Amino acid sequence: MEVSFRDYWYIACESHELKKDQVLGRKILDEWIVLFRDEKGNPRAFQDRCIHRNSQLSKGWVKDGQLQCSYHGWIFDGKGQLKNIPSEGPNQKKVGNRCAVTYEAVEEDRFIFVRLNKNPDNLTEPFRSPKYNAPGFETVRLFNVFKNSVINCAENYIDVPHTVFVHDKIFRDALDEEINCIVHRKEGMVEIEYLGESDNLGWFSWFLNPRKVPIVHIDSYYAPNITSVKYIIDKKEFWITSQSIPISEHETWVWTDLTYNFGHPIINKLSRPIVKYQGQSVIDQDIVVLDNQAEVIKKYGEQFSNATADVVHVLIESLYNAIKEGKNPKDIADKRVEVKFWI
Ligand code: FES
Ligand SMILES: [Fe+2]
């Protein structure tokens, strides 16, 4: 079976957004989806279209874990099975064996993930944020909407050269620093390991790296839509994991987990508002740039011209484009390049 973007698990909502007896309409890959919880509290996802006269099921309501359409009141159970046609009265023989269009839904790490297509040739798992709920770690979760494609969003989160311009001072200082890294494409992912970075963390260097020790910094992209940035700085650990959800071609919803351990539970707790404020400020700056990039691409089409550092983009796009062509990104050959650039 050809691989497609529909084979992957995408976050549909956070657990707290889907309360008991609540109905939620969402969009993933241009597909309309209705979410609710069945009688056991498990999340369920159907196509947001009633099989009767095609009203939107998300306009309906949930009773005892069953979803009722708002137009003529047809009732579906958690598995999507039609259970009741009110206009048939006490004789429900007509109900028969009819079913809504259903998708798989699972709940992990306070997210509800949906998969549109189960492909036996490309079995996938929901992505678990590294160190989420790990002992000693704290997570600040952010949500943002970008008016750009999944791939441009994902690439931005691990694009280093823009940080000195877009996030001047907040995140990095322009230091004219030579950066060396190893870029490795393998098994459907691209990993970028930065070598010998020690001080380029902007104004919070004094806290994160007062002794100016070398930083461990590894960025990872997992095709098609996930990036994870890992910093280990003088025993402090900081992970930035972003799941970019393709709502439509020009809209991407992004959940970002800022997961960190600054060495002490009280420091971790007290740091929450600062981490949240800093993280959101950085993302706000990216939103401006990415929304603008999308406007230009809409007008003139997408045509890039690369510098040395852009090998990261090229390798990421090679995996993303593999899926576009129906190929499994895990089958794309390994490639390892050493790259030097300046920021
Ligand atoms: S359209 Fe849903 S019950 Fe008629
Ligand atoms: Fe950025």
Side-chain angles (χ1 to χ4, degrees):
M1 201 174 179
E2 275 210 342
V3 167
S4 101
F5 290 109
R6 294 168 67 97
D7 305 346
Y8 294 87
W9 291 92
Y10 298 106
I11 298 166
C13 65
E14 291 180 51
S15 292
H16 70 85
E17 293 179 272
L18 191 63
K19 301 194 176 60
K20 184 176 178 279
D21 292 341
Q22 194 178 344
V23 190
L24 211 56
R26 286 285 148 107
K27 200 160 88 174
I28 297 173
L29 284 169
D30 267 324
E31 195 73 70
W32 291 5
I33 294 160
V34 57
L35 297 154
F36 68 103
R37 290 186 186 275
D38 67 16
E39 71 286 357
K40 291 199 182 109
N42 294 321
R44 298 288 185 168
F46 305 161
Q47 191 175 69
D48 194 3
R49 180 185 71 96
C50 180
I51 55 171
H52 179 219
R53 293 282 140 184
N54 304 162
S55 183
Q56 256 185 306
L57 288 169
S58 58
K59 305 247 184 274
W61 44 84
V62 180
K63 234 179 26 205
D64 305 323
Q66 299 194 322
L67 179 60
Q68 184 162 35
C69 180
S70 62
Y71 197 3
H72 312 92
W74 287 27
I75 295 176
F76 302 86
D77 71 7
K79 293 195 175 80
Q81 200 69 44
L82 178 61
K83 285 292 181 193
N84 189 288
I85 300 175
S87 62
E88 297 291 324
N91 178 2
Q92 288 287 320
K93 271 207 299 254
K94 266 263 156 38
V95 164
N97 188 20
R98 287 190 263 180
C99 201
V101 177
T102 60
Y103 305 117
E104 295 168 276
V106 297
E107 195 160 16
E108 305 266 21
D109 300 339
R110 310 283 302 151
F111 282 133
I112 292 169
F113 292 87
V114 168
R115 178 163 67 178
L116 299 174
N117 180 30
K118 186 174 184 177
N119 181 349
D121 297 326
N122 184 30
L123 286 176
T124 53
E125 299 282 340
F127 189 84
R128 315 286 299 268
S129 274
K131 305 287 180 173
Y132 183 83
N133 269 347
F137 281 81
E138 193 76 25
T139 294
V140 170
R141 183 163 283 176
L142 303 174
F143 171 73
N144 287 281
V145 174
F146 290 75
K147 297 267 174 261
N148 204 327
S149 65
V150 153
I151 187 67
N152 286 334
C153 291
E155 288 184 40
N156 165 264
Y157 308 137
I158 53 175
D159 174 286
V160 168
H162 84 279
T163 55
V164 285
F165 295 97
V166 177
H167 312 302
D168 185 29
K169 297 289 183 292
I170 294 194
F171 187 46
R172 286 169 181 273
D173 279 316
L175 291 176
D176 291 333
E177 187 181 4
E178 182 186 309
I179 298 276
N180 287 283
C181 63
I182 297 166
V183 186
H184 195 177
R185 177 180 69 192
K186 54 180 180 183
E187 295 149 24
M189 64 147 343
V190 177
E191 186 181 83
I192 307 112
E193 185 181 357
Y194 291 89
L195 309 167
E197 259 182 301
S198 68
D199 183 21
N200 209 358
L201 297 158
W203 73 259
F204 38 179
S205 290
W206 63 269
F207 168 67
L208 288 172
N209 197 10
R211 298 193 296 133
K212 302 220 185 308
V213 300
I215 295 167
V216 174
H217 173 193
I218 298 172
D219 292 352
S220 304
Y221 163 78
Y222 302 88
N225 66 319
I226 290 151
T227 58
S228 193
V229 172
K230 168 189 181 179
Y231 285 109
I232 302 177
I233 308 160
D234 202 5
K235 296 197 194 102
K236 300 183 187 81
E237 225 176 289
F238 201 98
W239 293 76
I240 307 158
T241 303
S242 296
Q243 304 215 28
S244 300
I245 312 307
I247 304 303
S248 63
E249 204 190 329
H250 297 293
E251 183 168 346
T252 302
W253 289 12
V254 182
W255 275 274
T256 304
D257 279 346
L258 306 167
T259 299
Y260 58 93
N261 183 354
F262 293 156
H264 193 284
I266 294 177
I267 297 176
N268 286 346
K269 281 270 180 268
L270 290 175
S271 303
R272 280 189 75 92
I274 304 165
V275 169
K276 186 172 181 188
Y277 177 79
Q278 284 298 333
Q280 190 56 52
S281 306
V282 169
I283 292 173
D284 287 343
Q285 293 173 326
D286 283 326
I287 288 176
V288 173
V289 174
L290 278 158
D291 285 5
N292 173 258
Q293 178 193 37
E295 286 300 312
V296 176
I297 289 171
K298 264 189 226 161
K299 178 157 177 65
Y300 289 109
E302 198 172 82
Q303 235 175 344
F304 298 141
S305 176
N306 293 323
T308 308
D310 294 320
V311 68
V312 175
H313 293 265
V314 171
L315 292 183
I316 287 176
E317 283 159 20
S318 70
L319 297 179
Y320 188 83
N321 291 337
I323 303 176
K324 256 192 193 167
E325 290 159 18
K327 288 188 247 162
N328 194 328
K330 292 195 168 146
D331 297 336
I332 305 295
D334 280 24
K335 189 165 180 167
R336 194 176 175 281
V337 221
E338 285 179 34
V339 182
K340 179 192 288 191
F341 62 93
W342 294 79
I343 58 169

Short mmCIF file of all heavy atoms in Angstrom, two decimals, residues 77-131:
data_model
loop_
_atom_site.label_atom_id
_atom_site.label_comp_id
_atom_site.label_asym_id
_atom_site.label_seq_id
_atom_site.Cartn_x
_atom_site.Cartn_y
_atom_site.Cartn_z
N ASP A 77 -23.13 4.55 18.33
CA ASP A 77 -22.34 4.23 19.52
C ASP A 77 -20.87 4.57 19.27
O ASP A 77 -20.49 5.05 18.18
CB ASP A 77 -22.55 2.77 19.96
CG ASP A 77 -21.90 1.76 19.01
OD1 ASP A 77 -21.18 2.17 18.08
OD2 ASP A 77 -22.12 0.54 19.21
N GLY A 78 -20.02 4.28 20.26
CA GLY A 78 -18.60 4.65 20.18
C GLY A 78 -17.89 4.03 18.99
O GLY A 78 -16.94 4.60 18.46
N LYS A 79 -18.34 2.85 18.59
CA LYS A 79 -17.70 2.19 17.45
C LYS A 79 -18.22 2.73 16.11
O LYS A 79 -17.79 2.31 15.05
CB LYS A 79 -17.96 0.68 17.51
CG LYS A 79 -17.28 0.00 18.69
CD LYS A 79 -17.26 -1.53 18.47
CE LYS A 79 -16.49 -2.24 19.55
NZ LYS A 79 -17.32 -2.41 20.78
N GLY A 80 -19.20 3.64 16.18
CA GLY A 80 -19.75 4.22 14.96
C GLY A 80 -20.98 3.50 14.47
O GLY A 80 -21.62 3.90 13.50
N GLN A 81 -21.35 2.43 15.18
CA GLN A 81 -22.50 1.62 14.79
C GLN A 81 -23.80 2.41 14.98
O GLN A 81 -24.01 3.01 16.03
CB GLN A 81 -22.51 0.36 15.70
CG GLN A 81 -23.31 -0.79 15.16
CD GLN A 81 -22.65 -1.41 13.92
OE1 GLN A 81 -21.44 -1.62 13.89
NE2 GLN A 81 -23.45 -1.67 12.90
N LEU A 82 -24.65 2.39 13.95
CA LEU A 82 -25.96 3.05 14.08
C LEU A 82 -26.81 2.26 15.07
O LEU A 82 -26.96 1.04 14.95
CB LEU A 82 -26.64 3.12 12.71
CG LEU A 82 -28.04 3.75 12.68
CD1 LEU A 82 -28.00 5.20 13.15
CD2 LEU A 82 -28.64 3.64 11.29
N LYS A 83 -27.39 2.94 16.06
CA LYS A 83 -28.13 2.27 17.13
C LYS A 83 -29.62 2.58 17.11
O LYS A 83 -30.43 1.78 17.56
CB LYS A 83 -27.56 2.68 18.50
CG LYS A 83 -26.24 2.04 18.81
CD LYS A 83 -26.47 0.56 19.02
CE LYS A 83 -25.21 -0.16 19.37
NZ LYS A 83 -25.34 -1.61 19.28
N ASN A 84 -29.96 3.78 16.65
CA ASN A 84 -31.36 4.18 16.75
C ASN A 84 -31.73 5.21 15.68
O ASN A 84 -30.99 6.16 15.46
CB ASN A 84 -31.61 4.75 18.16
CG ASN A 84 -33.09 4.98 18.43
OD1 ASN A 84 -33.68 5.91 17.88
ND2 ASN A 84 -33.69 4.14 19.28
N ILE A 85 -32.90 4.97 15.05
CA ILE A 85 -33.47 5.96 14.13
C ILE A 85 -34.79 6.40 14.75
O ILE A 85 -35.78 5.64 14.73
CB ILE A 85 -33.71 5.34 12.73
CG1 ILE A 85 -32.39 4.84 12.13
CG2 ILE A 85 -34.38 6.35 11.81
CD1 ILE A 85 -32.55 4.11 10.79
N PRO A 86 -34.85 7.58 15.34
CA PRO A 86 -36.05 7.98 16.08
C PRO A 86 -37.33 7.85 15.25
O PRO A 86 -38.36 7.42 15.79
CB PRO A 86 -35.76 9.44 16.45
CG PRO A 86 -34.28 9.52 16.48
CD PRO A 86 -33.78 8.59 15.42
N SER A 87 -37.28 8.15 13.97
CA SER A 87 -38.52 8.13 13.17
C SER A 87 -39.05 6.72 12.93
O SER A 87 -40.13 6.55 12.40
CB SER A 87 -38.28 8.84 11.83
OG SER A 87 -37.28 8.14 11.10
N GLU A 88 -38.28 5.70 13.28
CA GLU A 88 -38.75 4.31 13.13
C GLU A 88 -39.59 3.87 14.34
O GLU A 88 -40.12 2.77 14.36
CB GLU A 88 -37.58 3.34 12.96
CG GLU A 88 -36.75 3.57 11.70
CD GLU A 88 -37.49 3.22 10.41
OE1 GLU A 88 -38.27 2.25 10.40
OE2 GLU A 88 -37.30 3.95 9.42
N GLY A 89 -39.63 4.73 15.35
CA GLY A 89 -40.44 4.39 16.52
C GLY A 89 -39.92 3.17 17.25
O GLY A 89 -38.71 2.93 17.28
N PRO A 90 -40.83 2.38 17.82
CA PRO A 90 -40.38 1.24 18.62
C PRO A 90 -39.78 0.11 17.77
O PRO A 90 -39.01 -0.70 18.27
CB PRO A 90 -41.66 0.77 19.33
CG PRO A 90 -42.80 1.41 18.62
CD PRO A 90 -42.29 2.56 17.83
N ASN A 91 -40.11 0.07 16.48
CA ASN A 91 -39.58 -0.99 15.63
C ASN A 91 -38.31 -0.49 14.94
O ASN A 91 -38.37 0.28 13.99
CB ASN A 91 -40.65 -1.39 14.62
CG ASN A 91 -40.12 -2.45 13.67
OD1 ASN A 91 -38.99 -2.91 13.79
ND2 ASN A 91 -40.96 -2.83 12.71
N GLN A 92 -37.15 -0.95 15.41
CA GLN A 92 -35.89 -0.42 14.91
C GLN A 92 -35.23 -1.36 13.90
O GLN A 92 -34.02 -1.39 13.75
CB GLN A 92 -34.95 -0.14 16.09
CG GLN A 92 -35.37 1.05 16.94
CD GLN A 92 -35.10 2.39 16.24
OE1 GLN A 92 -34.07 2.56 15.61
NE2 GLN A 92 -36.02 3.32 16.34
N LYS A 93 -36.06 -2.17 13.19
CA LYS A 93 -35.50 -3.15 12.25
C LYS A 93 -34.64 -2.48 11.16
O LYS A 93 -33.66 -3.02 10.70
CB LYS A 93 -36.64 -3.95 11.61
CG LYS A 93 -37.00 -5.20 12.42
CD LYS A 93 -37.60 -6.29 11.55
CE LYS A 93 -38.85 -5.82 10.90
NZ LYS A 93 -40.14 -6.25 11.29
N LYS A 94 -35.07 -1.27 10.76
CA LYS A 94 -34.38 -0.55 9.67
C LYS A 94 -32.94 -0.16 10.01
O LYS A 94 -32.15 0.15 9.12
CB LYS A 94 -35.17 0.72 9.33
CG LYS A 94 -36.15 0.55 8.18
CD LYS A 94 -35.53 1.05 6.89
CE LYS A 94 -36.05 0.49 5.60
NZ LYS A 94 -37.45 0.23 5.46
N VAL A 95 -32.64 -0.13 11.32
CA VAL A 95 -31.30 0.31 11.75
C VAL A 95 -30.23 -0.54 11.06
O VAL A 95 -29.25 -0.02 10.51
CB VAL A 95 -31.16 0.23 13.29
CG1 VAL A 95 -29.72 0.30 13.71
CG2 VAL A 95 -31.96 1.36 13.93
N GLY A 96 -30.44 -1.84 11.06
CA GLY A 96 -29.54 -2.76 10.35
C GLY A 96 -28.09 -2.62 10.79
O GLY A 96 -27.80 -2.21 11.91
N ASN A 97 -27.20 -2.94 9.87
CA ASN A 97 -25.78 -2.90 10.21
C ASN A 97 -25.14 -1.73 9.49
O ASN A 97 -24.45 -1.89 8.50
CB ASN A 97 -25.13 -4.23 9.81
CG ASN A 97 -23.70 -4.32 10.32
OD1 ASN A 97 -23.33 -3.60 11.26
ND2 ASN A 97 -22.91 -5.16 9.70
N ARG A 98 -25.39 -0.54 10.00
CA ARG A 98 -24.86 0.65 9.34
C ARG A 98 -23.90 1.38 10.27
O ARG A 98 -24.07 1.37 11.49
CB ARG A 98 -26.00 1.58 8.94
CG ARG A 98 -26.78 1.02 7.75
CD ARG A 98 -27.74 2.03 7.20
NE ARG A 98 -29.08 1.84 7.72
CZ ARG A 98 -30.12 2.61 7.38
NH1 ARG A 98 -29.93 3.63 6.57
NH2 ARG A 98 -31.32 2.37 7.87
N CYS A 99 -22.93 2.01 9.68
CA CYS A 99 -21.84 2.54 10.50
C CYS A 99 -21.36 3.90 9.98
O CYS A 99 -21.33 4.13 8.77
CB CYS A 99 -20.68 1.54 10.44
SG CYS A 99 -19.55 1.70 11.79
N ALA A 100 -21.00 4.78 10.90
CA ALA A 100 -20.36 6.04 10.52
C ALA A 100 -18.96 5.73 9.99
O ALA A 100 -18.43 4.65 10.23
CB ALA A 100 -20.25 6.95 11.75
N VAL A 101 -18.36 6.67 9.28
CA VAL A 101 -16.96 6.51 8.86
C VAL A 101 -16.10 6.80 10.09
O VAL A 101 -16.18 7.89 10.66
CB VAL A 101 -16.61 7.49 7.72
CG1 VAL A 101 -15.14 7.37 7.34
CG2 VAL A 101 -17.51 7.23 6.52
N THR A 102 -15.32 5.81 10.53
CA THR A 102 -14.60 5.97 11.80
C THR A 102 -13.08 6.06 11.56
O THR A 102 -12.56 5.56 10.57
CB THR A 102 -14.84 4.77 12.74
OG1 THR A 102 -14.39 3.58 12.07
CG2 THR A 102 -16.31 4.62 13.07
N TYR A 103 -12.43 6.72 12.51
CA TYR A 103 -10.96 6.79 12.52
C TYR A 103 -10.48 6.30 13.88
O TYR A 103 -11.21 6.34 14.86
CB TYR A 103 -10.48 8.22 12.31
CG TYR A 103 -11.03 8.87 11.06
CD1 TYR A 103 -11.85 9.99 11.15
CD2 TYR A 103 -10.73 8.35 9.81
CE1 TYR A 103 -12.36 10.58 10.00
CE2 TYR A 103 -11.24 8.93 8.66
CZ TYR A 103 -12.06 10.04 8.76
OH TYR A 103 -12.56 10.62 7.63
N GLU A 104 -9.22 5.87 13.91
CA GLU A 104 -8.65 5.46 15.20
C GLU A 104 -8.34 6.70 16.04
O GLU A 104 -7.88 7.71 15.51
CB GLU A 104 -7.34 4.71 15.00
CG GLU A 104 -7.47 3.40 14.29
CD GLU A 104 -6.08 2.92 13.91
OE1 GLU A 104 -5.59 3.35 12.87
OE2 GLU A 104 -5.51 2.15 14.68
N ALA A 105 -8.57 6.58 17.34
CA ALA A 105 -8.22 7.67 18.26
C ALA A 105 -7.59 7.06 19.52
O ALA A 105 -8.07 6.04 20.01
CB ALA A 105 -9.46 8.46 18.63
N VAL A 106 -6.52 7.65 20.00
CA VAL A 106 -5.93 7.21 21.26
C VAL A 106 -5.54 8.42 22.09
O VAL A 106 -5.33 9.52 21.57
CB VAL A 106 -4.67 6.32 21.08
CG1 VAL A 106 -4.97 5.03 20.36
CG2 VAL A 106 -3.55 7.08 20.40
N GLU A 107 -5.43 8.18 23.39
CA GLU A 107 -5.07 9.25 24.31
C GLU A 107 -3.73 8.91 24.95
O GLU A 107 -3.59 7.85 25.56
CB GLU A 107 -6.17 9.35 25.38
CG GLU A 107 -6.13 10.61 26.18
CD GLU A 107 -7.47 10.88 26.87
OE1 GLU A 107 -8.31 9.96 26.97
OE2 GLU A 107 -7.66 12.02 27.32
N GLU A 108 -2.76 9.79 24.78
CA GLU A 108 -1.43 9.61 25.37
C GLU A 108 -0.91 10.97 25.81
O GLU A 108 -1.05 11.94 25.08
CB GLU A 108 -0.41 9.08 24.33
CG GLU A 108 -0.78 7.83 23.60
CD GLU A 108 -0.21 6.58 24.25
OE1 GLU A 108 0.12 6.64 25.46
OE2 GLU A 108 -0.13 5.58 23.55
N ASP A 109 -0.27 11.00 26.97
CA ASP A 109 0.40 12.23 27.42
C ASP A 109 -0.52 13.46 27.37
O ASP A 109 -0.08 14.55 27.00
CB ASP A 109 1.66 12.52 26.58
CG ASP A 109 2.68 11.40 26.66
OD1 ASP A 109 2.63 10.63 27.63
OD2 ASP A 109 3.52 11.30 25.75
N ARG A 110 -1.78 13.27 27.71
CA ARG A 110 -2.75 14.37 27.74
C ARG A 110 -3.05 14.95 26.35
O ARG A 110 -3.51 16.08 26.23
CB ARG A 110 -2.33 15.50 28.71
CG ARG A 110 -1.94 15.04 30.10
CD ARG A 110 -3.09 14.70 30.99
NE ARG A 110 -4.03 15.79 31.18
CZ ARG A 110 -5.33 15.63 31.43
NH1 ARG A 110 -5.85 14.41 31.50
NH2 ARG A 110 -6.12 16.66 31.61
N PHE A 111 -2.77 14.17 25.33
CA PHE A 111 -3.17 14.52 23.97
C PHE A 111 -4.13 13.46 23.46
O PHE A 111 -4.02 12.28 23.82
CB PHE A 111 -1.97 14.49 23.01
CG PHE A 111 -1.05 15.67 23.07
CD1 PHE A 111 0.34 15.49 23.13
CD2 PHE A 111 -1.54 16.97 23.02
CE1 PHE A 111 1.20 16.57 23.16
CE2 PHE A 111 -0.68 18.06 23.05
CZ PHE A 111 0.69 17.86 23.11
N ILE A 112 -5.03 13.84 22.55
CA ILE A 112 -5.82 12.86 21.82
C ILE A 112 -5.34 12.85 20.38
O ILE A 112 -5.34 13.89 19.70
CB ILE A 112 -7.32 13.16 21.92
CG1 ILE A 112 -7.74 12.92 23.38
CG2 ILE A 112 -8.13 12.25 20.98
CD1 ILE A 112 -9.11 13.40 23.74
N PHE A 113 -4.83 11.70 19.96
CA PHE A 113 -4.27 11.54 18.62
C PHE A 113 -5.27 10.81 17.74
O PHE A 113 -5.98 9.91 18.19
CB PHE A 113 -3.01 10.66 18.67
CG PHE A 113 -1.83 11.28 19.35
CD1 PHE A 113 -1.66 11.17 20.73
CD2 PHE A 113 -0.86 11.95 18.62
CE1 PHE A 113 -0.55 11.72 21.36
CE2 PHE A 113 0.26 12.49 19.23
CZ PHE A 113 0.41 12.38 20.61
N VAL A 114 -5.28 11.19 16.47
CA VAL A 114 -6.15 10.53 15.50
C VAL A 114 -5.31 10.09 14.31
O VAL A 114 -4.38 10.78 13.90
CB VAL A 114 -7.28 11.50 15.04
CG1 VAL A 114 -8.01 10.95 13.83
CG2 VAL A 114 -8.26 11.74 16.18
N ARG A 115 -5.64 8.90 13.78
CA ARG A 115 -4.99 8.44 12.55
C ARG A 115 -6.09 8.19 11.52
O ARG A 115 -7.05 7.46 11.78
CB ARG A 115 -4.19 7.16 12.82
CG ARG A 115 -3.54 6.60 11.58
CD ARG A 115 -2.45 5.60 11.87
NE ARG A 115 -2.94 4.36 12.47
CZ ARG A 115 -2.16 3.32 12.78
NH1 ARG A 115 -0.86 3.39 12.58
NH2 ARG A 115 -2.67 2.24 13.32
N LEU A 116 -5.92 8.77 10.36
CA LEU A 116 -6.97 8.68 9.34
C LEU A 116 -6.92 7.37 8.59
O LEU A 116 -7.93 6.88 8.09
CB LEU A 116 -6.85 9.85 8.34
CG LEU A 116 -7.00 11.25 8.95
CD1 LEU A 116 -6.71 12.31 7.89
CD2 LEU A 116 -8.38 11.46 9.53
N ASN A 117 -5.73 6.78 8.52
CA ASN A 117 -5.58 5.58 7.69
C ASN A 117 -4.59 4.62 8.35
O ASN A 117 -3.48 5.01 8.69
CB ASN A 117 -5.04 6.01 6.32
CG ASN A 117 -4.83 4.84 5.39
OD1 ASN A 117 -5.55 3.85 5.48
ND2 ASN A 117 -3.85 4.96 4.50
N LYS A 118 -5.02 3.38 8.54
CA LYS A 118 -4.10 2.38 9.08
C LYS A 118 -3.50 1.62 7.90
O LYS A 118 -4.19 0.84 7.24
CB LYS A 118 -4.86 1.43 10.01
CG LYS A 118 -3.96 0.47 10.73
CD LYS A 118 -4.75 -0.33 11.74
CE LYS A 118 -3.82 -1.24 12.53
NZ LYS A 118 -4.57 -1.97 13.56
N ASN A 119 -2.23 1.88 7.63
CA ASN A 119 -1.56 1.30 6.48
C ASN A 119 -0.65 0.16 6.95
O ASN A 119 0.34 0.42 7.64
CB ASN A 119 -0.74 2.40 5.78
CG ASN A 119 -0.02 1.90 4.55
OD1 ASN A 119 0.03 0.69 4.30
ND2 ASN A 119 0.54 2.82 3.78
N PRO A 120 -0.96 -1.08 6.61
CA PRO A 120 -0.14 -2.20 7.09
C PRO A 120 1.33 -2.09 6.65
O PRO A 120 2.22 -2.64 7.30
CB PRO A 120 -0.80 -3.44 6.47
CG PRO A 120 -1.76 -2.94 5.45
CD PRO A 120 -2.07 -1.52 5.75
N ASP A 121 1.58 -1.35 5.57
CA ASP A 121 2.96 -1.18 5.11
C ASP A 121 3.66 0.01 5.76
O ASP A 121 4.81 0.30 5.47
CB ASP A 121 3.00 -1.01 3.59
CG ASP A 121 2.47 -2.24 2.87
OD1 ASP A 121 2.70 -3.36 3.39
OD2 ASP A 121 1.81 -2.08 1.83
N ASN A 122 2.93 0.73 6.59
CA ASN A 122 3.54 1.89 7.25
C ASN A 122 2.85 2.10 8.59
O ASN A 122 2.17 3.10 8.83
CB ASN A 122 3.38 3.14 6.35
CG ASN A 122 4.08 4.35 6.93
OD1 ASN A 122 5.09 4.22 7.63
ND2 ASN A 122 3.55 5.54 6.65
N LEU A 123 3.04 1.13 9.47
CA LEU A 123 2.39 1.22 10.78
C LEU A 123 3.13 2.24 11.64
O LEU A 123 4.35 2.18 11.76
CB LEU A 123 2.35 -0.14 11.45
CG LEU A 123 1.31 -1.09 10.84
CD1 LEU A 123 1.38 -2.46 11.48
CD2 LEU A 123 -0.11 -0.51 10.95
N THR A 124 2.40 3.17 12.18
CA THR A 124 3.02 4.29 12.89
C THR A 124 2.52 4.32 14.33
O THR A 124 1.54 3.68 14.67
CB THR A 124 2.65 5.61 12.19
OG1 THR A 124 1.22 5.65 12.08
CG2 THR A 124 3.25 5.69 10.79
N GLU A 125 3.21 5.08 15.17
CA GLU A 125 2.82 5.25 16.57
C GLU A 125 2.65 6.74 16.85
O GLU A 125 3.35 7.55 16.25
CB GLU A 125 3.94 4.76 17.51
CG GLU A 125 4.32 3.30 17.36
CD GLU A 125 3.32 2.39 18.04
OE1 GLU A 125 2.58 2.88 18.91
OE2 GLU A 125 3.28 1.20 17.68
N PRO A 126 1.77 7.11 17.78
CA PRO A 126 1.74 8.51 18.20
C PRO A 126 3.12 8.89 18.77
O PRO A 126 3.77 8.06 19.40
CB PRO A 126 0.69 8.54 19.30
CG PRO A 126 -0.14 7.33 19.10
CD PRO A 126 0.78 6.30 18.50
N PHE A 127 3.53 10.12 18.53
CA PHE A 127 4.85 10.54 19.02
C PHE A 127 4.76 10.96 20.48
O PHE A 127 3.91 11.76 20.85
CB PHE A 127 5.37 11.70 18.16
CG PHE A 127 6.80 12.04 18.47
CD1 PHE A 127 7.84 11.34 17.87
CD2 PHE A 127 7.12 13.04 19.38
CE1 PHE A 127 9.16 11.63 18.15
CE2 PHE A 127 8.44 13.34 19.69
CZ PHE A 127 9.46 12.63 19.07
N ARG A 128 5.63 10.42 21.28
CA ARG A 128 5.65 10.78 22.70
C ARG A 128 6.75 11.80 22.95
O ARG A 128 7.91 11.55 22.62
CB ARG A 128 5.90 9.53 23.57
CG ARG A 128 5.08 8.30 23.18
CD ARG A 128 3.63 8.41 23.58
NE ARG A 128 3.43 8.54 25.01
CZ ARG A 128 3.21 7.50 25.84
NH1 ARG A 128 3.20 6.26 25.38
NH2 ARG A 128 3.00 7.70 27.12
N SER A 129 6.40 12.93 23.54
CA SER A 129 7.40 13.96 23.84
C SER A 129 8.48 13.40 24.74
O SER A 129 8.17 12.87 25.80
CB SER A 129 6.75 15.13 24.58
OG SER A 129 6.20 16.04 23.71
N PRO A 130 9.76 13.52 24.35
CA PRO A 130 10.82 13.02 25.21
C PRO A 130 10.76 13.67 26.60
O PRO A 130 10.52 14.86 26.72
CB PRO A 130 12.10 13.45 24.49
CG PRO A 130 11.70 13.65 23.07
CD PRO A 130 10.28 14.09 23.11
N LYS A 131 10.92 12.84 27.61
CA LYS A 131 11.00 13.26 29.02
C LYS A 131 9.69 13.81 29.58
O LYS A 131 9.64 14.30 30.71
CB LYS A 131 12.11 14.32 29.24
CG LYS A 131 13.48 13.89 28.77
CD LYS A 131 14.06 12.86 29.70
CE LYS A 131 15.45 12.45 29.20
NZ LYS A 131 16.14 11.60 30.12
#
